[in-house]
Amino acid sequence: MMNMTEKMLEQIRDLFEKKNIKLFIGFEKGFEKFSRIPAFAENYDEAKSMIIDEFETPLLAKYLIRELGEVGAGAVEKSERVGILTRGCDYLSIRRLVVDNIILRENLVIIGIPCNGLIDPKKANKLLGEEAQEITVDEKIVLAKGEIKSREINKEEILLDRCKKCIMSKVEESDILLEENMDDMEVSKDYSAVEEIEKLTTEERYEFWRRQFDRCIRCFACRDACTACNCRKCIFDITEPEMLEKTVATSEQFMFHFIRAFHVAGRCTACGECEKVCPVDIPLGLLNGKFKKDIELLFDVDEAGIPAEIEPLGEFKLDDPVEW
Amino acid sequence: MKKIGVFVCWCGLNISSTVDVEKASEELKNYPGVFYADDYKYLCSDPGQELIKKTIVDNKLEGIVVAACSPNMHESTFRAAAEAAGLNPYRVEITNIREQASWVHSNKEDATAKAIQLIKSTVEKVKKSEDLFPQQIPLTKKVLVIGGGISGMTVALEVAEAGYPVILVEKEPQIGGNMAKLSETFPTLDCASCILTPKTAEVGRHSNITLMTNSEVIESTGYFGNFTVKVKRKPTFVDWKKCIGCMLCQEKCPKKTNSDFEHGMGKRKAISVAFPQAIPYRPIISEKECIYFKTGKCKICVKVCPVDCIEFEQEEKIIEENIGAIVVASGYDLLPKEELGEYGQGKYADVIDGMQFERIASASGPTEGVIKRPSDGKIPKSIVFIQCAGSRDNQKGRPYCSKICCMYTAKHAMLYKHQVHDGEATIFYMDIRAGGKGYEEFVQRAIEDDHVLYLRGRVARVYEEDGRLVVLGVDTLSGEQVRIEADLVVLATAVIPSIGAKALGQTLKVGTDTYGFFNEAHPKLKPVESMTKGVFLAGCAQAPRDIPETVSQATGAAAKVITMFSKNHLVSDPQVAKVNEKICVGCLLCKPICPYKAIEPEIVEVRVGCRAEKRQVATINKGLCQGCGACSVACRSGAMNLSGFSNEQILEELKSLCL
Amino acid sequence: MDKLLRSNVSRLLKKLSEHAEIYAPTMEDGVCVLSKLVNNYDDWTLDYVRTTNSVKDIFFPQNEEIMRYKNANNDLNIEPPKPFKERVAFGVRPCDAAAMLLLDNVFLEGEFYDSYYKERREKGALITIACEKPDQYCFCTSFHSSPGATEGSDIVLYPADDYFLVVAVTDKGKKLIKANAEIFENATEKSGIVENYKSMKTPIGNNCSPGELNEKLKNEFDNPYWKKIARRCLGCGNCTFVCPTCHCFAVCDVARGCDGKRTRTWDSCKFQDFFLMAGDHNPRPTQVERTRQRFMHKLNYFKEKYDKYQCVGCGRCVEKCPVGVHIADVITHMKEEL
């Protein structure tokens, strides 16, 4: 039986041979042993290094803006198609871009793969107590071997944080499905971290967020990694009017983080990428989670974050909840 | 930097008693960008305005700030003055230092400091002001009135009399609405049809009114001054142009059925006209009941018709009309008895609602005005009237007062007592609301002259016992339980928006409230305008009300239409949304957020750097946009901006306040 | 040689705080940050490989006010910033200390120097702690440095059992020890601890030592490799902001009515608007030019100018890059290709 990587390569070869795509976006090995980084192939030969496994990867959807949207007519004209390897989280992000009219769905070829969570090699290292040299992933058990030690780890323990909060484990509209979608992953609505913050007094809450935001170095990685942040020109990059001063004062930090959170409120697909890319570990997921929780509660929706034509915050209604 | 002038008004003592206006103008003189600053006793007076004009001209000012009262008071005054002096009026901004500094504070020093800060922030706003120019919008001088009841007819007649064409659309086959069903009217007790018939007749024959009965508005596009609507004309199966109204067909038709017009109190034929005074006096075949439609046989009407006008093959027609304004007068219905479990849920024949009582009390009704009960046609010896049946009841989801029931119940009781002198009329009420000219006297007459028994309290249950209706309630004044055996029970059921009002609202893009009544643009100052420009409201479509109030509001709506039509062009406020196509990403999140449906996508060519790009952006229909700013809030990249309140202006104002 | 008991560190910091601001690695919600200690001098930690922010923050802060002005009644009044306080950075890593020397090149060398930076540097001291356990991102040995290097530090502390071996590198360091002699103890053992640290290899080793790469890169302006890696780059400024050697800044005025201030803030060659000129022209319009600029600056231009590579192998940018853009990868690739 072919493994997933082989199946993918076969499909990519087919797509390039039939001239169905001009570019394929997938993953390849990075400099470090377990790092998996985005890879771009303009022909089959370039794609040969691509790989599918269960190590942490970044999201790929954001690249579609540059590869399809930035040429000027992303949402308007048909163009040569781009193929993309897609998991559930990436799928939601792609939908985000389609709903936001940034790209046309027909300009895409989606190769869908099922996913039941990616593992974080850093967590494995931590549990192992040294840098793992070899990690083998079974269905539920992960075997990590270092130079000295070796240890069996429950996969649950070293899942990426964002995978624990996954709201979409399958790809609903793939053009090519490498393996059947598995059953829906158990989606547990875990807002306990948000609730912890809600319990704080206003002063404590302010102090908590001040501490977090003061750490911010304004690298904008959270914005740059986010697919819901798909403006042509971000409001924070516009100099006239200057919405955000370059000065890194507490007030400006709050301004940036609140406005960012507001701009993705109701549109955030809970992919967790912002939190993952933050170099100073600001818990942005908490902020996004608070919005998600409130929207679900106040607007009576099951799952805020599944992109749709009309979204709770994207509609004019006279009877909107006052609490909002 | 722009040369800005600042004028601080004393407003007599209104401002100067709490704000040191001289200090304010003195301090503003030194503020960057301020070229001229002065204070004056009454800027709104003629010499005050002259001062402004002269200063603008002499100093070649490029923007002015008037620190005075609320912009609602005199913004237009000062803008007009600036325009007369050659300055674009939208470069004039008002700082409200009367309501926002003087009147709300007592400490002069603090109030002065606040006033100065507010003026400075307005100066910052004016620095970013731009010339704005109103746009001329073409106008179709034709009005569509939806609903042919008393309110719709009033509007139609007023506008038609002013010389403008009117299209009156009514979903029933005849006009007259609910008022045509009434017996007498309070508080004068004159007969409803006697005062209504001249009106319906006039509507029917007015050369400026095109009557479309048996029709419904199904689509509306465009914007104020320039709507295009589609009207569905349902088939009548009778060629009304040929028909002479002899009604032989109705006489000979073998099929009898319940009449909607009589609210189940009387019968009609399968081909019929609702009532003898109906306008247009033309019959209509009910497809549901007609024997021919069911079996393919009968055709008696065809045989008896002297002018050969029966057309079984008639189909519905869609008519498209260009119009300039719309008046919604879709009226009301009554809450179905079936929703009131405690009053028998509609299962007792002798528990009827107010409108049914009107029919049996009407001289032209099924009983020819003799009050008989529906079950056996006997004259009731005891009637219990129950007010607030469904109204003022949170549990029924209708916490509002239906407004007309207190009066019509008193009228019903009175009419009954005038007919059946020994009969007993009992009214259960929560409060008597008789606000209106002659209303309180009318109720007193019912109590004192006609000996109607008023009991304060709610009825807990109405049920049948040994073939008689029993009403169980509490008299809250005596605290005693009351049990009354009644021959007839009349429920003053809640007034609800006419069925289909919500759907009509969606068609017209006009908001309705939780209950389905149409929303006015402002509860006090714009009661006849809807939130959508060019769509006006009249009568019970907006809220429950009685006839005189309906007629006044309808006349008001007509006046609004006539005012609108009195000009050759419409002038749109330039303070509307504007799209920066360079930044707009074309996500169109703004589109569903716009309450006025003023945003549509457009494909444009935009120059970016050295290349031209073709892409989708949002565009604003300046005619539809009301400048509410919802889109500009929703736009993440700030591509959507409200002229006159741009992001830049607001930000500058804020920055200067947060120094 | 002196030694400093681990249990005496807090005492030392407290003592130093009498006339200086103290910066030390502290844990803040699970993140190790080099931050200012106020009152609580026990808050320092040793549980880190590298602090999230580098020591650059202390001498060249992300945001600094360079003057305030008032313009009332057309009377311009300029107010310079307050004089800086003495400052001691404790727990710096050798790579970060070495990076300060690169910043010195930029800000202090030549005819014009940066007075704000100069004042901070003169009033600052670096107490470095040698690295016990470099991680997979570390590659200082590729840049002629090591987990025990002393370049740039005033004092280096070498961790041993329950104490640190103390090596004073500069006069400033010696004075500091002398002034606080009562806290230090004499170290008698002369084991090879220091040498061990100095010869320790980082996991990446010196495989990615650039050698004479700068010469070769001179002709590689149009190498397609730049496009390949730039395609991955998201354009966040993360790598440049965590870098202890990146030093680009912007100066901006914030004016409010009559008052205003002029501030200097970090800027990044990774940002789209960094190169934006009046008239909307952008000489580095895409991520390709910007990515090339970053690496060329570090591996070519800087070396040309100061005869040093502008990288110390601290590993922050490679750890923090969300999409695996890796300077060691660039160096190895270029060395192989050219």
Side-chain angles (χ1 to χ4, degrees), chain C residues 158-176:
Chain C
Y158 294 93
D161 310 327
D162 61 344
Y163 62 90
F164 298 102
L165 273 181
V166 182
V167 173
V169 184
T170 60
D171 286 348
K172 200 189 265 174
K174 282 174 192 151
K175 273 184 204 156
L176 195 146

Side-chain angles (χ1 to χ4, degrees), chain C residues 245-270:
Chain C
T245 71
C246 275
H247 49 260
C248 289
F249 59 82
V251 172
C252 44
D253 282 4
V254 179
R256 303 266 168 93
C258 305
D259 303 318
K261 57 182 178 182
R262 174 163 298 176
T263 52
R264 164 159 82 178
T265 56
W266 293 350
D267 209 338
S268 166
C269 57
K270 285 302 208 175

Side-chain angles (χ1 to χ4, degrees), chain C residues 74-240:
Chain C
N74 290 323
D75 189 14
L76 187 67
N77 197 340
I78 294 178
E79 205 182 294
K82 290 185 196 102
F84 304 123
K85 272 193 167 169
E86 296 275 338
R87 53 193 65 197
V88 174
F90 173 84
V92 177
R93 290 303 187 194
C95 49
D96 281 1
M100 289 313 297
L101 296 178
L102 300 179
L103 290 184
D104 288 349
N105 283 122
V106 177
F107 290 123
L108 303 179
E109 220 169 74
E111 195 180 342
F112 302 102
Y113 59 87
D114 184 316
S115 58
Y116 307 99
Y117 178 82
K118 187 162 185 261
E119 191 185 342
R120 284 206 185 84
R121 274 297 266 157
E122 279 165 0
K123 290 182 175 171
L126 297 185
I127 303 179
T128 303
I129 300 178
C131 306
E132 289 179 276
K133 209 175 168 198
D135 67 7
Q136 72 262 39
Y137 304 110
C138 290
F139 54 102
C140 56
T141 49
S142 294
F143 290 92
H144 308 297
S145 185
S146 74
T150 56
E151 287 83 2
S153 310
D154 293 303
I155 295 170
V156 182
L157 304 179
Y158 294 93
D161 310 327
D162 61 344
Y163 62 90
F164 298 102
L165 273 181
V166 182
V167 173
V169 184
T170 60
D171 286 348
K172 200 189 265 174
K174 282 174 192 151
K175 273 184 204 156
L176 195 146
I177 293 172
K178 210 171 170 190
N180 301 287
E182 74 278 10
I183 302 171
F184 294 92
E185 289 167 29
N186 272 337
T188 45
E189 53 266 78
K190 277 199 178 160
S191 59
I193 292 180
V194 174
E195 293 318 309
N196 276 348
Y197 277 109
K198 284 191 173 168
S199 59
M200 199 190 279
K201 285 268 173 281
T202 53
I204 299 179
N206 37 18
N207 300 341
C208 49
S209 172
E212 296 304 311
L213 190 62
N214 65 312
E215 287 298 324
K216 294 178 184 160
L217 280 177
K218 272 182 188 165
N219 303 319
E220 298 309 317
F221 204 68
D222 296 320
N223 193 313
Y225 182 68
W226 302 128
K227 192 182 166 197
K228 185 173 161 19
I229 51 170
R231 212 165 193 174
R232 276 205 315 267
C233 177
L234 293 169
C236 73
N238 185 341
C239 48
T240 56

Side-chain angles (χ1 to χ4, degrees), chain B residues 369-498:
Chain B
V370 183
I371 298 171
K372 297 176 186 168
R373 63 182 197 177
S375 59
D376 51 11
K378 275 190 196 152
I379 292 176
K381 286 292 166 202
S382 152
I383 305 188
V384 173
F385 296 91
I386 302 173
Q387 289 190 188
C388 296
S391 311
R392 300 179 69 190
D393 190 345
N394 244 331
Q395 283 171 336
K396 297 271 177 330
R398 304 195 178 273
Y400 59 84
C401 167
S402 290
K403 203 166 182 180
I404 54 173
C405 336
C406 285
M407 294 308 297
Y408 79 59
T409 305
K411 176 189 78 181
H412 287 170
M414 221 184 239
L415 290 176
Y416 170 66
K417 291 288 280 191
H418 291 177
Q419 249 184 50
V420 187
H421 301 300
D422 59 341
E424 275 176 33
T426 314
I427 298 180
F428 279 94
Y429 72 100
M430 283 168 72
D431 300 287
I432 299 295
R433 296 184 168 175
K437 196 172 179 180
Y439 287 11
E440 178 58 25
E441 298 92 310
F442 183 76
V443 174
Q444 287 309 323
R445 231 169 83 202
I447 299 169
E448 285 162 19
D449 299 354
D450 296 316
H451 308 292
V452 176
L453 177 62
Y454 270 81
L455 291 176
R456 190 175 196 280
R458 271 227 148 139
V459 171
R461 244 177 85 197
V462 175
Y463 58 98
E464 218 171 40
E465 201 176 84
D466 305 328
R468 285 206 79 182
L469 286 171
V470 179
V471 178
L472 214 58
V474 182
D475 177 1
T476 52
L477 294 180
S478 67
E480 276 168 27
Q481 234 196 19
V482 187
R483 185 179 183 282
I484 301 173
E485 293 193 357
D487 297 325
L488 185 65
V489 174
V490 182
L491 305 174
T493 45
V495 171
I496 60 171
S498 74

Side-chain angles (χ1 to χ4, degrees), chain B residues 277-339:
Chain B
Q277 301 83 9
I279 299 287
Y281 189 65
R282 294 287 179 269
I284 167 171
I285 298 175
S286 165
E287 209 178 338
K288 244 183 14 220
E289 286 94 18
C290 172
I291 297 172
Y292 172 76
F293 276 113
K294 273 188 179 159
T295 64
K297 282 179 197 147
C298 181
K299 284 197 174 181
I300 291 175
C301 47
V302 179
K303 278 168 215 153
V304 299
C305 180
V307 289
D308 202 15
C309 65
I310 309 291
E311 289 180 341
F312 285 119
E313 55 292 330
Q314 220 183 59
E315 279 177 0
E316 67 173 40
K317 272 187 275 183
I318 308 286
I319 293 168
E320 202 176 280
E321 289 280 349
N322 292 324
I323 47 155
I326 299 174
V327 180
V328 183
S330 53
Y332 71 95
D333 276 311
L334 289 180
L335 183 72
K337 285 179 294 192
E338 286 68 24
E339 285 186 27

Side-chain angles (χ1 to χ4, degrees), chain A residues 31-32 37-38 42 63 66-67 122 131 211-212 215 217-219 221 224 245-248 277 279-280, chain C residues 28-29 52 62-63 136-137 230-233 235-238 241 254 256 265 267 271 320 322-323 326:
Chain A
F31 188 80
E32 282 126 25
I37 60 173
E42 290 182 3
Y63 293 112
R66 206 185 291 161
E67 301 296 343
K122 276 186 217 161
E131 204 190 320
R211 218 167 49 232
Q212 309 299 327
R215 214 160 52 228
I217 56 172
R218 219 69 91 60
C219 66
D224 292 326
E245 285 170 12
K246 288 226 173 202
T247 321
V248 190
V277 300
V280 292
Chain C
E28 195 177 90
D29 301 298
T52 301
Q62 176 154 24
N63 178 46
Q136 72 262 39
Y137 304 110
R231 212 165 193 174
R232 276 205 315 267
C233 177
C236 73
N238 185 341
F241 281 2
V254 179
R256 303 266 168 93
T265 56
D267 209 338
F271 291 161
K320 299 300 183 187
V323 290
H326 201 305

